[in-house]
Coordinates of all heavy atoms in Angstrom, one line a residue:
F695 N -46.8 139.9 -9.5 CA -46.6 138.5 -9.7 C -46.6 137.8 -8.4 O -45.9 138.2 -7.4 CB -45.3 138.3 -10.4 CG -45.2 139.0 -11.7 CD1 -44.5 140.3 -11.8 CD2 -45.8 138.6 -12.9 CE1 -44.5 141.0 -13.0 CE2 -45.8 139.3 -14.0 CZ -45.1 140.5 -14.1
D696 N -47.3 136.6 -8.3 CA -47.3 135.8 -7.2 C -46.5 134.5 -7.5 O -46.7 133.9 -8.5 CB -48.7 135.3 -6.8 CG -49.6 136.5 -6.5 OD1 -49.1 137.5 -5.8 OD2 -50.8 136.5 -6.8
V697 N -45.6 134.1 -6.6 CA -44.7 133.0 -6.8 C -45.2 131.9 -5.8 O -45.3 132.2 -4.6 CB -43.2 133.3 -6.6 CG1 -42.4 132.0 -6.8 CG2 -42.8 134.4 -7.6
L698 N -45.5 130.7 -6.2 CA -45.9 129.6 -5.4 C -44.8 128.5 -5.4 O -44.1 128.3 -6.4 CB -47.2 129.0 -5.9 CG -48.3 130.0 -6.2 CD1 -49.5 129.2 -6.8 CD2 -48.8 130.7 -4.9
F699 N -44.7 127.8 -4.3 CA -43.8 126.6 -4.3 C -44.4 125.6 -5.2 O -45.5 125.6 -5.6 CB -43.7 126.0 -2.9 CG -43.0 126.9 -1.9 CD1 -43.6 127.6 -0.9 CD2 -41.6 127.1 -2.0 CE1 -42.9 128.4 0.0 CE2 -40.9 127.9 -1.1 CZ -41.6 128.5 -0.1
D700 N -43.6 124.6 -5.5 CA -44.1 123.5 -6.4 C -45.2 122.7 -5.9 O -45.9 122.0 -6.6 CB -42.9 122.6 -6.9 CG -42.3 121.8 -5.7 OD1 -42.6 122.1 -4.6 OD2 -41.4 121.0 -6.1
D701 N -45.5 122.8 -4.5 CA -46.6 122.1 -3.9 C -47.8 123.0 -3.8 O -48.8 122.7 -3.2 CB -46.3 121.5 -2.6 CG -45.9 122.5 -1.5 OD1 -46.0 123.8 -1.8 OD2 -45.5 122.1 -0.4
E702 N -47.7 124.2 -4.5 CA -48.8 125.2 -4.6 C -49.0 126.1 -3.4 O -49.9 126.9 -3.4 CB -50.1 124.6 -5.1 CG -49.9 123.8 -6.4 CD -51.2 123.1 -6.9 OE1 -52.3 123.6 -6.5 OE2 -51.1 122.2 -7.6
R703 N -48.1 126.0 -2.4 CA -48.2 126.9 -1.3 C -47.7 128.3 -1.7 O -46.7 128.4 -2.5 CB -47.4 126.4 -0.1 CG -47.9 125.3 0.7 CD -47.0 124.8 1.8 NE -45.7 124.4 1.2 CZ -44.5 124.9 1.6 NH1 -44.5 125.8 2.6 NH2 -43.4 124.6 1.1
Y704 N -48.2 129.4 -1.1 CA -47.8 130.7 -1.4 C -46.3 130.9 -0.9 O -46.0 130.5 0.1 CB -48.7 131.7 -0.7 CG -48.2 133.1 -0.8 CD1 -48.4 133.8 -2.0 CD2 -47.6 133.8 0.2 CE1 -48.0 135.2 -2.1 CE2 -47.1 135.1 0.1 CZ -47.3 135.7 -1.1 OH -46.8 137.0 -1.2
F705 N -45.5 131.6 -1.8 CA -44.1 131.9 -1.4 C -43.9 133.4 -1.3 O -43.6 133.9 -0.2 CB -43.2 131.3 -2.5 CG -41.7 131.5 -2.3 CD1 -41.2 131.7 -1.0 CD2 -40.8 131.3 -3.3 CE1 -39.8 131.8 -0.8 CE2 -39.5 131.4 -3.2 CZ -39.0 131.7 -1.9
H706 N -44.1 134.2 -2.3 CA -44.0 135.6 -2.2 C -44.6 136.3 -3.4 O -45.0 135.7 -4.4 CB -42.5 136.1 -2.1 CG -41.7 135.8 -3.3 ND1 -41.1 134.6 -3.5 CD2 -41.3 136.6 -4.3 CE1 -40.4 134.6 -4.7 NE2 -40.5 135.9 -5.1
T707 N -44.8 137.7 -3.3 CA -45.3 138.5 -4.3 C -44.4 139.7 -4.6 O -43.8 140.2 -3.7 CB -46.7 139.1 -3.9 OG1 -47.6 138.0 -3.7 CG2 -47.3 140.1 -4.9
F708 N -44.3 140.1 -5.9 CA -43.4 141.2 -6.2 C -44.0 141.9 -7.5 O -44.8 141.3 -8.2 CB -42.0 140.8 -6.4 CG -41.7 140.0 -7.7 CD1 -41.3 140.7 -8.8 CD2 -41.9 138.7 -7.7 CE1 -41.2 139.9 -10.0 CE2 -41.8 137.9 -8.9 CZ -41.4 138.6 -10.0
S709 N -43.4 143.0 -7.8 CA -43.7 143.7 -9.1 C -42.5 144.4 -9.6 O -41.5 144.6 -8.8 CB -44.9 144.7 -9.0 OG -44.5 145.8 -8.2
A710 N -42.4 144.8 -10.9 CA -41.3 145.5 -11.4 C -41.1 146.9 -10.7 O -40.0 147.3 -10.5 CB -41.4 145.7 -12.9
S711 N -42.3 147.5 -10.3 CA -42.2 148.8 -9.7 C -42.0 148.7 -8.2 O -41.7 149.6 -7.5 CB -43.5 149.6 -10.0 OG -44.6 148.9 -9.4
N712 N -42.2 147.5 -7.6 CA -42.0 147.2 -6.2 C -41.3 145.8 -6.1 O -42.0 144.8 -5.7 CB -43.3 147.3 -5.5 CG -43.2 147.3 -4.0 OD1 -42.1 147.3 -3.5 ND2 -44.3 147.4 -3.3
P713 N -40.0 145.7 -6.4 CA -39.4 144.4 -6.6 C -38.9 143.7 -5.4 O -37.9 143.0 -5.5 CB -38.3 144.8 -7.6 CG -37.9 146.2 -7.1 CD -39.2 146.8 -6.7
N714 N -39.5 143.9 -4.3 CA -39.0 143.4 -3.0 C -40.0 142.5 -2.4 O -41.2 142.7 -2.5 CB -38.7 144.5 -2.0 CG -37.8 145.5 -2.6 OD1 -36.6 145.3 -2.8 ND2 -38.3 146.6 -3.0
A715 N -39.6 141.4 -1.7 CA -40.5 140.5 -1.0 C -39.7 139.8 0.1 O -38.5 139.9 0.2 CB -41.1 139.5 -2.0
E716 N -40.5 139.2 1.0 CA -39.9 138.5 2.1 C -40.7 137.3 2.4 O -42.0 137.2 2.2 CB -40.0 139.5 3.3 CG -39.3 139.0 4.5 CD -39.2 140.1 5.6 OE1 -39.6 141.3 5.3 OE2 -38.7 139.8 6.7
H717 N -40.1 136.2 2.9 CA -40.7 135.0 3.3 C -40.1 134.4 4.5 O -38.8 134.3 4.5 CB -40.6 134.0 2.1 CG -41.1 132.6 2.5 ND1 -42.4 132.3 2.5 CD2 -40.5 131.5 2.8 CE1 -42.6 131.0 2.8 NE2 -41.4 130.5 3.0
L718 N -40.8 134.1 5.5 CA -40.3 133.5 6.7 C -40.5 132.0 6.6 O -41.7 131.6 6.4 CB -41.0 134.1 8.0 CG -40.5 133.7 9.3 CD1 -39.0 134.1 9.5 CD2 -41.3 134.3 10.4
C719 N -39.5 131.3 6.8 CA -39.5 129.8 6.7 C -39.0 129.3 8.0 O -37.8 129.2 8.3 CB -38.7 129.3 5.5 SG -38.7 127.5 5.4
G720 N -39.9 128.9 8.9 CA -39.5 128.6 10.3 C -38.8 129.9 10.9 O -39.4 130.9 10.9
D721 N -37.6 129.7 11.4 CA -36.9 130.9 11.9 C -35.9 131.5 10.9 O -35.2 132.4 11.3 CB -36.1 130.5 13.2 CG -37.0 130.1 14.3 OD1 -38.1 130.7 14.4 OD2 -36.6 129.2 15.1
D722 N -35.9 131.0 9.7 CA -35.0 131.5 8.6 C -35.8 132.6 7.8 O -37.0 132.3 7.4 CB -34.5 130.4 7.7 CG -33.6 129.5 8.5 OD1 -32.8 129.9 9.3 OD2 -33.7 128.2 8.3
N723 N -35.3 133.7 7.6 CA -35.9 134.8 6.9 C -35.3 135.0 5.5 O -34.1 135.1 5.4 CB -35.8 136.1 7.7 CG -36.8 137.1 7.1 OD1 -37.9 136.8 6.7 ND2 -36.4 138.4 7.1
Y724 N -36.1 134.9 4.5 CA -35.7 135.1 3.1 C -36.2 136.4 2.6 O -37.4 136.7 2.6 CB -36.3 134.0 2.2 CG -35.8 132.6 2.5 CD1 -36.1 131.9 3.6 CD2 -35.1 131.9 1.5 CE1 -35.7 130.6 3.9 CE2 -34.6 130.7 1.7 CZ -34.9 130.0 2.9 OH -34.4 128.7 3.2
V725 N -35.3 137.3 2.1 CA -35.6 138.6 1.6 C -35.0 138.7 0.2 O -33.8 138.4 0.0 CB -35.0 139.7 2.5 CG1 -35.3 141.1 1.9 CG2 -35.5 139.6 3.9
V726 N -35.9 139.1 -0.8 CA -35.5 139.1 -2.1 C -35.6 140.5 -2.7 O -36.6 141.2 -2.3 CB -36.2 138.1 -3.0 CG1 -37.7 138.4 -3.1 CG2 -35.6 138.0 -4.4
R727 N -34.8 140.9 -3.6 CA -34.9 142.1 -4.4 C -34.7 141.7 -5.8 O -33.6 141.1 -6.2 CB -33.9 143.2 -4.0 CG -34.0 144.4 -4.9 CD -33.3 145.6 -4.3 NE -33.4 146.7 -5.2 CZ -34.5 147.5 -5.4 NH1 -35.5 147.3 -4.7 NH2 -34.4 148.5 -6.2
Y728 N -35.7 141.9 -6.7 CA -35.5 141.7 -8.1 C -35.0 143.0 -8.7 O -35.3 144.1 -8.3 CB -36.9 141.3 -8.7 CG -37.4 140.0 -8.3 CD1 -38.2 139.8 -7.2 CD2 -37.0 138.8 -9.0 CE1 -38.7 138.6 -6.8 CE2 -37.5 137.6 -8.6 CZ -38.3 137.5 -7.5 OH -38.8 136.2 -7.1
D729 N -34.2 142.9 -9.8 CA -33.6 144.0 -10.5 C -33.9 143.9 -12.0 O -33.4 143.0 -12.6 CB -32.1 144.1 -10.2 CG -31.5 145.3 -10.9 OD1 -32.1 146.0 -11.7 OD2 -30.3 145.5 -10.7
F730 N -34.8 144.8 -12.5 CA -35.2 144.7 -13.9 C -34.6 145.9 -14.7 O -35.1 146.2 -15.8 CB -36.7 144.7 -14.0 CG -37.3 143.5 -13.3 CD1 -38.0 143.7 -12.1 CD2 -37.2 142.2 -13.8 CE1 -38.6 142.6 -11.5 CE2 -37.8 141.1 -13.2 CZ -38.5 141.3 -12.0
T731 N -33.7 146.6 -14.1 CA -33.2 147.9 -14.8 C -32.5 147.6 -16.1 O -32.3 148.5 -16.9 CB -32.2 148.6 -13.8 OG1 -31.2 147.8 -13.5 CG2 -33.0 149.1 -12.6
K732 N -32.0 146.4 -16.4 CA -31.4 146.0 -17.7 C -32.2 145.1 -18.4 O -31.7 144.3 -19.2 CB -30.0 145.5 -17.4 CG -29.1 146.5 -16.8 CD -27.7 145.9 -16.5 CE -26.8 146.9 -15.8 NZ -25.5 146.4 -15.5
W733 N -33.6 145.1 -18.2 CA -34.5 144.2 -18.9 C -34.2 144.1 -20.4 O -34.0 145.1 -21.0 CB -35.9 144.6 -18.6 CG -36.9 143.7 -19.2 CD1 -37.6 143.9 -20.3 CD2 -37.4 142.5 -18.6 NE1 -38.5 142.8 -20.5 CE2 -38.3 141.9 -19.5 CE3 -37.0 141.7 -17.5 CZ2 -39.0 140.7 -19.3 CZ3 -37.7 140.5 -17.2 CH2 -38.6 140.0 -18.1
P734 N -34.1 142.9 -21.0 CA -34.6 141.6 -20.5 C -33.6 140.8 -19.7 O -33.9 139.7 -19.3 CB -35.0 140.9 -21.8 CG -34.0 141.4 -22.8 CD -33.8 142.9 -22.4
V735 N -32.5 141.4 -19.4 CA -31.6 140.7 -18.5 C -32.1 141.2 -17.1 O -32.3 142.4 -16.9 CB -30.1 141.1 -18.7 CG1 -29.2 140.6 -17.6 CG2 -29.6 140.6 -20.1
W736 N -32.2 140.2 -16.2 CA -32.7 140.6 -14.9 C -32.1 139.7 -13.8 O -31.4 138.7 -14.1 CB -34.3 140.5 -14.8 CG -34.9 139.2 -15.2 CD1 -35.0 138.6 -16.4 CD2 -35.4 138.2 -14.3 NE1 -35.6 137.4 -16.4 CE2 -35.9 137.1 -15.1 CE3 -35.6 138.1 -12.9 CZ2 -36.5 136.0 -14.6 CZ3 -36.3 137.0 -12.4 CH2 -36.7 136.0 -13.2
R737 N -32.2 140.1 -12.6 CA -31.5 139.5 -11.5 C -32.4 139.4 -10.2 O -33.3 140.3 -10.0 CB -30.3 140.4 -11.2 CG -29.5 140.0 -10.0 CD -28.4 141.0 -9.8 NE -27.4 140.7 -10.9 CZ -26.1 141.0 -10.8 NH1 -25.7 141.7 -9.7 NH2 -25.3 140.8 -11.8
S738 N -32.2 138.4 -9.5 CA -32.8 138.3 -8.1 C -31.7 138.1 -7.1 O -30.8 137.3 -7.4 CB -33.8 137.2 -8.0 OG -33.2 135.9 -8.1
T739 N -31.8 138.8 -6.0 CA -30.8 138.7 -5.0 C -31.5 138.4 -3.7 O -32.3 139.1 -3.2 CB -30.0 140.0 -4.8 OG1 -29.3 140.3 -6.0 CG2 -28.9 139.9 -3.7
W740 N -31.2 137.2 -3.1 CA -31.8 136.7 -1.9 C -30.8 136.9 -0.8 O -29.6 136.5 -0.9 CB -32.2 135.3 -2.0 CG -33.4 135.0 -2.9 CD1 -33.4 134.8 -4.2 CD2 -34.7 135.0 -2.4 NE1 -34.7 134.6 -4.6 CE2 -35.5 134.7 -3.5 CE3 -35.3 135.2 -1.2 CZ2 -36.9 134.7 -3.5 CZ3 -36.7 135.1 -1.1 CH2 -37.5 134.9 -2.2
Q741 N -31.2 137.4 0.4 CA -30.5 137.4 1.6 C -31.2 136.5 2.5 O -32.4 136.7 2.8 CB -30.5 138.8 2.2 CG -29.6 139.8 1.5 CD -28.1 139.5 1.6 OE1 -27.4 139.8 0.7 NE2 -27.7 139.0 2.7
V742 N -30.6 135.4 3.0 CA -31.2 134.4 3.8 C -30.5 134.4 5.1 O -29.2 134.2 5.2 CB -31.2 133.0 3.1 CG1 -31.9 132.0 4.0 CG2 -31.8 133.1 1.7

């Protein structure tokens, strides 16, 4: 899955088998981990 900002710029890519992504915004670093182990309940955890 590819996630785009609302202005259509690329944000990040992830998959259920590889649920991690990263995005650098200026000097701020965004790291996400998606958790689908209790699907259809799911979670995203961002460290910024």
Side-chain angles (χ1 to χ4, degrees):
F695 306 98
D696 299 322
V697 181
L698 309 175
F699 290 110
D700 62 352
D701 64 3
E702 302 178 26
R703 288 177 300 125
Y704 174 77
F705 184 19
H706 66 278
T707 297
F708 72 94
S709 68
S711 63
N712 193 1
N714 308 284
E716 190 170 352
H717 173 79
L718 188 61
C719 180
D721 292 330
D722 296 319
N723 194 37
Y724 291 69
V725 177
V726 65
R727 176 164 179 82
Y728 291 91
D729 180 352
F730 301 108
T731 57
K732 296 180 181 176
W733 183 261
V735 174
W736 56 285
R737 176 182 286 204
S738 66
T739 302
W740 287 91
Q741 289 289 149
V742 182

